[in-house]
């Protein structure tokens, strides 16, 4: 028997690799037998997917033979072994057999750069290798044929979503079969389990309740949490005020199922991850709970002492979606709505998972469109979702219904009678002189719509109180300075902190930080953003002062940022609604105002509505596989900024920056993956995101690390107190 390799480093035969797939296949079938998949066909594609690797040119590449000619991607050759006669005898339809061929051929998405004649030639050559290949587990599940009927497969063929019932069902079957083959294959190649069992979360939640009862014998799950527990098997949309325990509610709904917990901002995700792993799932966290966003590895380094698993393995499990519970950003999951080549493993995974969507009101129109489409796919494929939010734009419910999404809602909102905020609307632009007399032993939070406005107010208040604690936070600080500021504002923002201070901020604090200031002074942005900002003041305490929120509505003008990133129609509608909001404001009243301002009818003339519907129609308009993954990542993240290091920072830290670049320039033989990731993480501490339009106002010097990576040095001044300072005095309109 000839030895045929599937991999060379370390050496692994096709049979050994397939054995690992079958092991993961059995794991998946045992843990999730309810998956809507034909288990025989999934086992079949696992058996056959890599048989094409026995071709001479692939073996030559691995140093295991010789040959001359053009190598054809092995998936396209593995289709030669599909036992179509057996499948016909078993009663499988033509469409079902096509799905088998396609799943095998495209289990790796490769560009087709060969002719049909070249493909047919290499298929014929496989007969020689087939005679010397033996794998007992194949039995009668492989049947070599040098000729493949075009009704089943030819290289240009694709299975598209289609519009009629048969085409839609065939597409679903293909996504499931190919997607689960990918998951099983990826796990086998990485040397990990395709899935780890969630046999702990319900018990962990019971322990959490027991901990509450140690402090208060009468403690119990509240009405929201009980509702979610009672409706674990349904799609649910609930509205609940801040402080109602939505995290616990979501985890109770999830129960002992595979699940994903999504939030809009990395800082909020990091906080939830830290809380869950320290307070709820306190054992074997690295086998149970993962954190998935663009900075996962750096966060794992931060938590490394608390995990019992080697960090690279933990990171791999997380990236491969093998963990029972994953806390993540929307873009890590929902980019599948673009149906790019290779998306199938995500949707196939979500078909047997439960997805928790928190703070839906924080998403921009384009992300909201992707979310709604994503929920419609999850619903169609058999997955479950719950949406939990403090305020729910009415248009979201309409769009979910329009896209055929099935869900339930409780009759009543989960809201208490408590009053946390009393509002005074100030009919001027935000004014430092107005704020000045309130700084008497208070902890004050000032929120502006734009960075330029925040810098102006900061400079004025700093001049008024040169010996007092006055701080500024926005998105245009390098990462290590931003992290320090987030830690500092978190400490200052605790209600039992006796030290007086003033923090001037932008919308970066709207939903990412668990802070509780005494007084809030804010520009009006839109009503949703305003109520998010109010949540940073008297977060979890009852109103005990006459006024704790001052909202500047711009007077005869509009506030900063309106017409740029704040929709003018929504702003004007919000301004009008505020006319009736002077004085105490209940949580129920806030929810009613959001529903009113963000109803489909109220939004019809807004840019928000246009962007939302355009994004929905855009994604629906193109065929599956029209875009590649790189294009989709760019579109989904709406990338309009450059990651760079300010030149002042570069000059002050050049030796350290250069040392990290030197590590990244070395080969994998010289330094480990972990060393490189640590260097990359440390280098990122000096970076920030600079908007395109601002980047164009100055110069950037490109420093090359290696063939694939560069670092940009942006010509500007920088202060750890103020952030970027443009050398060219031009008006800024930064807003994060």
């Amino acid at each position: 028997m000839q030895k045929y390799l599937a991999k060379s480093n370390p050496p692994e035969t096709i049979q050994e690799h397939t054995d690992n797939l079958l092991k993961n296949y059995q794991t998946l079938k045992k843990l999730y037998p309810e998956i809507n998949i034909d288990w025989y066909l999934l086992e079949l594609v696992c058996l056959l997917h890599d048989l094409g690797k026995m071709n001479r040119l692939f073996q030559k590449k691995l140093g295991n033979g010789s040959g001359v000619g053009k190598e054809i991607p092995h998936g396209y050759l593995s289709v030669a072994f599909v036992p179509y006669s057996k499948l016909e005898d078993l009663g499988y339809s033509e469409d079902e057999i096509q799905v088998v061929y396609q799943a095998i051929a495209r289990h790796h998405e490769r560009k087709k750069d060969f002719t049909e004649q070249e493909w047919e030639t290499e298929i014929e050559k496989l007969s020689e290798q087939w005679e010397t290949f033996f794998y007992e587990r194949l039995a009668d599940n492989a049947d070599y044929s040098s000729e493949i009927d075009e009704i089943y497969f030819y290289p240009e063929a694709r299975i598209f979503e289609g519009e009629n019932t048969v085409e839609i069902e065939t597409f679903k079957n293909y996504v499931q079969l190919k997607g689960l083959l990918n998951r099983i294959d990826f796990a086998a190649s990485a040397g990990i389990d395709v899935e780890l069992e969630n046999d702990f979360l319900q018990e962990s939640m019971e322990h959490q309740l027991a901990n509450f009862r140690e402090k208060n014998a009468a403690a119990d799950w509240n009405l929201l949490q009980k509702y979610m527990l009672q409706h674990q098997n349904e799609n649910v949309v609930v509205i609940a005020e801040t402080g109602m325990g939505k995290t616990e509610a979501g985890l109770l709904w999830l129960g002992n199922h595979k699940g994903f917990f999504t939030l809009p901002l990395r800082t909020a995700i990091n906080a939830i991850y830290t809380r869950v792993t320290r307070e709820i799932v306190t054992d074997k966290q690295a086998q149970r709970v993962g954190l998935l966003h663009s900075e996962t590895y750096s966060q794992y380094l931060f938590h490394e002492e608390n995990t019992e698993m080697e960090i690279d393995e933990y990171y791999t499990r997380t990236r491969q979606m093998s963990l029972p519970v994953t806390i993540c950003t929307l873009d890590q999951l929902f980019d599948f709505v673009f149906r790019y080549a290779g998306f199938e493993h995500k949707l196939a995974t979500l078909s047997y998972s439960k997805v928790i969507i928190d703070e839906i009101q924080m998403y921009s129109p384009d992300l909201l469109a992707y979310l709604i489409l994503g929920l419609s796919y999850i619903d169609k494929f058999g997955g479950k979702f719950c949406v939990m939010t403090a305020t729910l734009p009415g248009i979201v419910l309409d769009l979910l219904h329009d896209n055929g999404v099935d869900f339930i809602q409780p009759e009543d909102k989960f809201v208490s009678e408590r009053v946390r905020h009393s509002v005074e609307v100030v009919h001027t632009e935000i004014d430092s002189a107005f704020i000045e007399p309130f700084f008497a032993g208070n902890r004050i939070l000032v929120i502006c719509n734009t960075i330029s406005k925040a810098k102006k107010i900061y400079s004025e208040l700093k001049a008024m109180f040169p010996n007092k604690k006055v701080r500024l936070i926005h998105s245009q600080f390098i990462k290590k300075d931003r992290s320090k500021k987030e830690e500092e504002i978190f400490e200052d923002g605790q209600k039992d902190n006796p030290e007086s201070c003033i923090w001037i901020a932008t919308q970066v604090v709207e939903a990412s930080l668990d802070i509780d200031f005494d007084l809030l002074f804010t520009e009006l942005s839109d009503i949703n953003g305003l109520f998010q900002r109010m949540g940073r003041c008297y977060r979890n305490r009852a109103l005990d002062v006459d006024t704790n929120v001052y909202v500047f509505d711009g007077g005869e003008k509009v506030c900063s940022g309106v017409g740029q990133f704040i929709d003018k129609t929504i702003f004007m509608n919000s301004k009008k609604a505020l006319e009736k909001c002077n004085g105490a404001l209940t949580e129920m009243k806030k929810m009613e105002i959001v529903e009113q301002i963000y109803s489909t009818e109220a939004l019809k003339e807004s840019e928000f509505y246009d962007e939302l519907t355009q994004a929905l129609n855009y994604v629906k308009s193109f065929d599956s596989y029209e875009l590649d993954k790189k294009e989709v990542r760019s579109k989904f993240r709406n990338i309009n900024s450059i990651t760079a290091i300010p030149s002042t920072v570069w000059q002050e830290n050049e030796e350290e920056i250069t040392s990290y670049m030197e590590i990244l320039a070395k080969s994998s033989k010289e330094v480990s993956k972990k060393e490189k990731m640590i260097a990359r993480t440390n280098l990122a501490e000096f970076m920030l995101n600079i908007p395109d339009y601002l980047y164009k106002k100055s110069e950037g010097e490109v420093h090359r690390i290696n063939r694939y990576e560069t670092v940009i040095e942006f010509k500007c001044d920088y202060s750890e107190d103020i952030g970027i300072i443009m050398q060219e005095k031009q008006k800024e309109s930064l807003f994060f």
Side-chain angles (χ1 to χ4, degrees):
M1 181 183 73
Q2 178 70 38
K3 181 179 179 181
Y4 294 102
L5 293 178
K7 293 180 178 179
S8 59
N9 187 24
E12 182 180 60
T13 65
I14 293 174
Q15 293 92 329
E16 289 167 338
H17 177 60
T18 308
D19 283 344
N20 290 330
L21 262 78
L22 293 174
K23 179 183 174 184
N24 273 311
Y25 162 82
Q26 292 295 342
T27 298
L28 187 67
K29 188 175 182 180
K30 177 185 175 183
L31 294 181
Y32 299 104
E34 74 281 3
I35 295 175
N36 184 24
I37 188 75
D38 185 308
W39 289 102
Y40 168 66
L41 294 186
L42 181 56
E43 183 179 22
L44 180 66
V45 296
C46 289
L47 283 165
L48 305 182
H49 80 294
D50 267 1
L51 294 184
K53 283 184 176 179
M54 69 177 77
N55 81 83
R56 295 170 306 146
L57 296 174
F58 185 87
Q59 292 302 309
K60 177 186 177 183
K61 185 168 65 177
L62 300 188
N64 188 43
S66 61
V68 178
K70 184 173 187 177
E71 185 186 344
I72 307 294
H74 67 268
Y76 286 95
L77 301 180
S78 297
V79 296
F81 303 97
V82 174
Y84 63 90
S85 295
K86 177 180 178 179
L87 293 175
E88 289 173 341
D89 292 342
L90 289 172
Y92 286 101
S93 69
E94 181 182 305
D95 290 332
E96 290 170 323
I97 298 173
Q98 281 180 357
V99 165
V100 172
Y101 276 96
Q102 287 285 350
I104 293 170
R106 302 185 187 281
H107 73 273
H108 294 298
E109 293 290 347
R110 300 280 190 256
K111 296 285 186 183
K112 180 185 172 295
D113 61 352
F114 54 87
T115 66
E116 194 148 334
Q117 182 59 55
E118 288 171 329
W119 171 67
E120 290 173 353
T121 299
E122 289 304 311
I123 290 276
E124 289 174 5
K125 290 178 181 177
L126 279 173
S127 61
E128 183 180 337
Q129 283 76 41
W130 180 237
E131 289 176 6
T132 60
F133 182 86
F134 177 75
Y135 183 36
E136 187 176 10
R137 299 179 77 169
L138 282 178
D140 63 345
N141 293 307
D143 185 13
Y144 169 75
S145 174
S146 62
E147 295 184 3
I148 297 168
D149 195 320
E150 284 194 358
I151 64 168
Y152 293 136
F153 181 79
Y154 57 94
E156 288 80 10
R158 273 281 194 188
I159 293 176
F160 294 96
E161 191 163 4
E163 296 182 359
N164 64 52
T165 304
V166 173
E167 290 175 338
I168 292 171
E169 193 61 29
T170 300
F171 179 74
K172 285 174 64 176
N173 291 340
Y174 170 67
V175 170
Q176 288 289 79
L177 193 64
K178 195 247 185 185
L180 294 179
L181 170 61
N182 284 152
R183 286 289 315 286
I184 290 167
D185 190 20
F186 296 161
S189 296
I192 61 172
D193 294 321
V194 66
E195 291 288 359
L196 293 169
E197 185 176 6
N198 183 349
D199 57 0
F200 59 87
L201 189 54
Q202 286 183 190
E203 186 178 352
S204 296
M205 297 306 294
E206 289 168 7
H207 283 310
Q208 180 78 331
L209 182 58
N211 292 336
F212 293 154
R213 285 175 174 163
E214 286 181 7
K215 300 174 184 176
N216 174 11
D220 197 3
W221 299 125
N222 63 29
L223 291 176
L224 165 67
Q225 292 158 348
K226 287 179 178 177
Y227 180 88
M228 299 301 284
L229 195 54
Q230 291 162 3
H231 295 277
Q232 283 185 326
N233 297 318
E234 296 172 275
N235 295 332
V236 182
V237 176
V238 296
I239 305 172
E241 71 172 276
T242 300
M244 276 280 185
K246 291 199 291 292
T247 301
E248 284 83 0
L251 294 175
L252 285 167
W253 174 82
L254 179 57
N256 282 0
H257 293 86
K258 184 176 181 67
F260 297 87
F261 198 123
T262 71
L263 294 105
L265 300 169
R266 279 199 304 266
T267 46
I269 291 168
N270 293 341
I272 292 287
Y273 171 77
T274 299
R275 184 171 168 232
V276 169
T277 53
R278 289 182 181 174
E279 297 178 16
I280 299 173
V281 184
T282 57
D283 188 34
K284 300 179 181 177
Q285 297 99 325
Q287 297 175 40
R288 294 176 168 179
V289 183
L291 176 73
L292 186 56
H293 56 54
S294 59
E295 297 175 4
T296 294
Y297 201 96
S298 61
Q299 281 297 308
Y300 281 178
L301 287 171
F302 178 73
H303 291 275
E304 188 171 17
E305 72 281 0
N306 300 320
T307 61
E308 69 286 348
M309 186 182 291
E310 200 276 323
I311 192 169
D312 282 346
E313 184 177 353
Y314 187 19
Y315 181 69
T316 300
R317 289 188 185 282
T318 304
R319 298 296 302 176
Q320 298 291 353
M321 302 193 296
S322 296
L323 295 167
V325 180
T326 304
I327 303 166
C328 61
T329 47
L330 193 71
D331 66 291
Q332 295 292 338
L333 281 187
F334 279 69
D335 61 351
F336 73 81
V337 299
F338 285 91
R339 308 178 311 284
Y340 56 86
F343 80 92
E344 298 87 359
H345 72 285
K346 289 189 178 180
L347 185 49
T349 302
L350 293 172
S351 75
Y352 61 94
S353 301
K354 300 173 79 173
V355 182
I356 301 165
I357 310 293
D358 197 4
E359 303 295 356
I360 196 172
Q361 78 284 349
M362 288 292 294
Y363 290 111
S364 59
D366 54 345
L367 293 181
L368 189 56
Y370 307 151
L371 176 60
I372 288 165
L373 286 176
L375 293 180
S376 72
Y377 274 111
I378 290 170
D379 184 37
K380 290 171 189 172
F381 273 72
K384 298 295 178 187
F385 70 85
C386 80
V387 173
M388 302 185 302
T389 185
T391 54
L392 181 66
I395 193 172
V396 172
L397 295 177
D398 291 342
L399 288 171
L400 286 172
H401 285 303
D402 291 346
N403 283 275
V405 183
D406 184 38
F407 61 92
I408 63 167
Q409 271 189 287
E411 291 184 11
D412 300 314
K413 300 177 178 69
F414 296 99
V415 57
S416 67
E417 296 298 319
R418 69 176 177 169
V419 178
R420 296 185 294 143
H421 301 115
S422 182
V423 177
E424 179 180 324
V425 181
V426 185
H427 301 298
T428 65
E429 296 181 77
I430 193 165
D431 182 9
S432 300
F434 184 97
I435 300 169
E436 182 181 12
F438 290 91
F439 191 26
N442 285 314
R443 293 172 304 111
I444 291 175
L445 179 62
V446 182
I447 303 182
C448 303
N449 292 342
T450 63
I451 288 179
S452 55
K453 179 69 75 173
K455 286 180 178 178
K456 178 178 181 293
I457 298 295
Y458 168 76
S459 298
E460 292 169 355
L461 289 172
K462 187 71 176 173
M464 292 173 184
F465 305 104
N467 300 316
K468 300 289 186 179
K469 188 171 189 178
V470 182
R471 298 286 188 270
L472 174 68
I473 184 171
H474 52 69
S475 68
Q476 296 303 316
F477 288 99
I478 62 173
K479 188 181 174 188
K480 70 174 182 177
D481 290 342
R482 168 89 173 262
S483 298
K484 288 178 189 173
K485 287 177 178 289
E486 286 175 351
E487 290 174 9
E488 191 177 5
I489 193 174
F490 178 79
E491 291 173 6
D492 290 343
Q494 301 309 299
K495 64 182 179 182
D496 55 355
N497 190 326
E499 185 180 2
S500 62
C501 61
I502 302 180
W503 276 88
I504 300 92
T506 57
Q507 68 186 51
V508 295
V509 300
E510 280 185 16
S512 59
L513 296 169
D514 188 2
I515 51 180
D516 188 350
F517 279 79
D518 300 322
L519 290 173
L520 172 67
F521 297 85
T522 178
E523 285 189 281
L524 176 62
S525 54
D526 62 89
I527 208 73
N528 221 338
L530 173 62
F531 293 157
Q532 286 293 317
R533 294 174 184 187
M534 286 186 187
R536 309 312 113 190
C537 168
Y538 274 62
R539 183 167 177 79
N540 281 308
R541 47 179 160 153
L543 185 69
D544 57 3
V545 294
D546 291 336
T547 305
N548 59 359
V549 176
Y550 296 86
V551 182
F552 297 83
D553 70 0
E556 297 300 315
K557 301 178 181 178
V558 296
C559 294
S560 65
V562 176
Q564 296 169 299
F565 63 94
I566 298 171
D567 187 286
K568 189 168 184 179
T569 300
I570 295 176
F571 172 83
M572 296 306 295
N573 289 344
S574 300
K575 188 172 182 177
K576 186 175 181 180
L578 269 183
E579 293 173 2
K580 302 174 184 177
C581 290
N582 269 309
L585 191 60
T586 66
E587 298 304 305
M588 182 63 79
K589 182 66 174 176
K590 292 177 188 175
M591 293 177 182
E592 289 171 354
I593 292 172
V594 169
E595 289 177 10
Q596 170 195 334
I597 299 296
Y598 283 87
S599 69
T600 303
E601 185 177 352
L603 289 174
K604 276 287 175 70
E605 303 301 319
S606 69
E607 289 184 13
F608 179 96
Y609 181 83
D610 290 342
E611 287 180 35
L612 177 55
T613 52
Q614 284 171 13
L616 279 166
N617 293 332
Y618 169 68
V619 179
K620 290 178 180 179
S621 68
F622 55 74
D623 290 328
S624 303
Y625 315 110
E626 194 169 319
L627 301 176
D628 64 29
K629 189 172 183 179
K630 188 175 181 181
E631 288 178 283
V632 167
R633 299 303 287 173
S634 177
K635 289 177 183 293
F636 196 94
R637 289 179 176 176
N638 195 16
I639 296 171
N640 57 358
S641 61
I642 306 295
T643 301
I645 300 176
S647 53
T648 308
V649 174
W650 190 291
Q651 291 156 15
E652 292 173 355
N653 302 275
E654 186 169 4
E655 186 175 341
E656 187 176 353
I657 289 169
T658 302
S659 70
Y660 299 137
M661 292 173 63
E662 288 172 351
I663 293 172
L664 292 172
K666 292 180 179 179
S667 70
S668 56
K669 293 180 181 179
E670 296 175 286
V671 295
S672 68
K673 176 184 175 183
K674 184 173 181 179
E675 287 176 295
K676 283 199 171 191
M677 291 299 288
I678 291 172
R680 188 172 284 110
T681 297
N682 290 335
L683 183 60
E685 291 291 302
F686 298 104
M687 295 179 176
L688 49 72
N689 290 323
I690 300 168
D692 282 343
Y693 79 89
L694 190 63
Y695 183 77
K696 292 171 183 174
K697 291 182 179 180
S698 186
E699 297 176 3
E701 182 178 349
V702 178
H703 298 263
R704 182 158 294 283
I705 296 175
N706 52 42
R707 275 181 67 189
Y708 307 105
E709 294 179 275
T710 59
V711 178
I712 296 173
E713 177 186 351
F714 182 59
K715 304 297 181 183
C716 68
D717 291 328
Y718 177 84
S719 158
E720 64 182 31
D721 296 324
I722 298 172
I724 283 181
I725 304 165
M726 295 300 292
Q727 295 168 344
E728 194 179 328
K729 291 188 181 255
Q730 294 184 348
K731 185 179 179 183
E732 297 177 49
S733 57
L734 304 177
F735 49 86
F736 286 115

